[in-house]
Amino acid sequence: MHKQRIGILVGALLGAIGAFLPWITMKAGMMSISISGTHEAIGWGWAVLILFALAVLFAVMGNKNAQLDAGRMVVSIICGLAGGAIGLWKLMQVGDIVKEAARLPGAADLASAGMGLYMIIAGGALVLILGVFLKDK
């Protein structure tokens, strides 16, 4: 398989896995709860999963030993960037929750961003970077 395709697959799979991992962790006393992006309270994880799945689909179509044609490369990169953008948007929302929680006495650690959001952002960035820079390798 061409290196460009492998690079897009790695980034897209990283982002897709992130959709199922915790996006936010909330604590109250000794109790803690983590919510993934596919949980009904958030729901955006399914959109992220579909976008990264489309990036995977376009990366594996056609001759696997050749680099992606321009159209498939652009679609894969757009899907990866859109998934990563959703992750970044949700990370900023969690940041706002953390800032508000910090105002409450003794509630500085009330909420924090989960690993899934960071994986989604990294996956989107990898799809772009590896899709472009491994194009002629």
Side-chain angles (χ1 to χ4, degrees), residues 25-29 31 94-112:
T25 301
M26 295 176 284
K27 299 175 185 175
M31 295 180 57
V94 171
D96 291 341
I97 293 170
V98 171
K99 286 178 191 173
E100 288 299 317
R103 294 181 184 189
L104 301 171
D109 295 329
L110 183 65
S112 61

Side-chain angles (χ1 to χ4, degrees), residues 32-135:
S32 175
I33 185 170
S34 294
I35 302 173
S36 72
T38 55
H39 187 274
E40 62 188 38
I42 297 177
W44 281 94
W46 295 112
V48 169
L49 182 64
I50 290 168
L51 287 166
F52 282 118
L54 286 171
V56 167
L57 178 69
F58 281 96
V60 298
M61 289 173 62
N63 181 0
K64 291 167 188 52
N65 293 322
Q67 73 181 32
L68 287 172
D69 60 63
R72 289 186 184 136
M73 182 182 76
V74 168
V75 171
S76 291
I77 289 172
I78 288 172
C79 289
L81 284 176
I86 291 172
L88 187 59
W89 170 50
K90 288 298 182 179
L91 182 64
M92 290 188 301
Q93 285 184 336
V94 171
D96 291 341
I97 293 170
V98 171
K99 286 178 191 173
E100 288 299 317
R103 294 181 184 189
L104 301 171
D109 295 329
L110 183 65
S112 61
M115 184 64 167
L117 288 177
Y118 296 112
M119 287 179 66
I120 290 166
I121 295 166
L126 282 175
V127 168
L128 171 65
I129 293 167
L130 298 177
V132 171
F133 290 113
L134 294 178
K135 180 174 64 170

